[in-house]
Amino acid sequence: MSARRVRVPSLLGDPGIRRAGAPERRFLFAVPPLAGNVAPVAAVAAELARRGHKIAWTGHRPSLEPLLRPGSRVFGAADEFGARAEAVLARWEGLRDVPALRFFWEEFLVPLGQAMMPGVERAIDRFRPDAVVCDQLVLAAPVAARLREIPWATAAASPAEFTRPLAGMPEVEQWVRDRIGDFQLDHGIDDLLDLRFSDHLVLCFSTGALVGDVSFFPDHFAFVGPIPGRSAPAAFPWEWLDGRPAVLVSAGMDGGAPCEGFLQAAFDAVRDMDVQAVFVAPPGAVGEPPPNVLVREAVPAHKLLDRVAAVVCHGDHGTVCESLAHGRPLVVAPVRGDQPVIAGRVEAAGAGVRVPFAEAGPDELRGALATVLEDGPHRAAAGRVRDAIGSSGGAAEAADRLEKLG
């Protein structure tokens, strides 16, 4: 039997501010062992706690606890799988396109869901939440909530799934839905839903300015905007910046040798440009940098984004949103996962230029950078996205919605 997407009328009515005197409630957050997925819901949990609600978490305890406030209540789940999740994802990093998608579902998402199921059920039975907030990648949480008839909300760290990225490959799209349907059938549920989208409440940590037209989504879909995390403290030689346009190249080392090739191409691209470029990369990742390039293993990203004119990145949603929250246009070279979708949304919004990751040479990167550095359409579009992010509500809007869930 294949999964089918079911949409029901909104249980919430029109969105609005928190009800005065909302009663104390208990919220259980279920998250995968992925730091980028924990950060936005951690901000929402903190807002709920500030309002007097009780909060608990379930997930891989060793990777989760360092990301939470000291003293947070954590119910362990999938500790054995979580311990090898990093190795599984390392194998996934060598794949692209449909093979990468299939591997992610077969070797990570479904096994993670099966491994988390007992722990999530124990957490629900012990904590007795009024609602479960389920990361979009945690299949176990909505199933456990449905089995116990507890309201549940989807928390989507990335907007990729809201764009139907597989619409052009219907057989692959159906294959994904079959995996979701089979997971429910395995646990005794035959009234199938698309577990990526709650029929009670869906919180997407992005904005329509980046996603595109969101007017056709049901009322219980809330695009609350990205919630920026805190930059890790890092020293930076601010005196090095001399007033020329500055560019932040935050491509990391995702992709191994191909990434080294991309970094080298970026080095060569900026070498003769009248810019200063800050590369976030390990020392020695490429050869001796030219005088207008600074290589740092870590930077104070939030402060640096106040000073740069453009950003080059792989298209991870966090970096893209943090850049656009500062109104900085982008050059995006996506590698895998949701990055191609995010890169496409950046380009569609007019806030940046997409280039191929493996094939982009210095000339193409130089041209893309020159385009977004111009004080023209890309900068104006990035400013519009910045304004939309600023007015999207963030953690407070998400907490308002969750207080109405039930």
Side-chain angles (χ1 to χ4, degrees), residues 44 63 75 89 103 127 130 143 169-170 181 185 265 285 289 330 351 377 393 395:
V44 176
S63 62
F75 295 93
L89 291 173
F103 181 94
F127 184 62
D130 297 295
V143 167
M169 296 183 287
L185 294 171
L330 297 123

Side-chain angles (χ1 to χ4, degrees), residues 4 12 15 54 71 78 87 91 119 178 221 233 255 269 304 320 323 329 372 385 397 405:
R4 56 186 175 88
L12 302 175
K54 301 298 183 184
R91 292 163 54 205
D178 288 346
F221 279 57
L304 191 57
V320 164
S323 302
V372 301
V385 179
E397 173 67 15
L405 182 60

Side-chain angles (χ1 to χ4, degrees), residues 242 244-247 249 265-277 279 290-293 310 312 331 362-374:
D242 62 12
R244 285 179 289 174
V247 176
V249 182
F267 268 49
D268 295 338
V270 301
R271 184 185 302 275
D272 297 323
M273 295 182 72
D274 188 23
V275 301
Q276 291 183 287
F279 280 68
N292 65 332
V293 171
V312 179
V331 173
D363 290 342
E364 185 170 5
L365 286 172
R366 187 181 302 112
L369 262 176
T371 297
V372 301
L373 284 170
E374 293 177 1

Side-chain angles (χ1 to χ4, degrees), residues 3 14 41 97 124 126 129 131 140 161 192 199 295-296 316 324 341 373 403:
D14 294 331
V41 289
D97 303 323
I124 291 176
R126 292 178 60 187
E161 295 292 352
L192 303 181
D199 55 350
V295 181
R296 308 285 289 190
D316 62 282
L324 291 175
V341 177
L373 284 170
E403 284 183 325

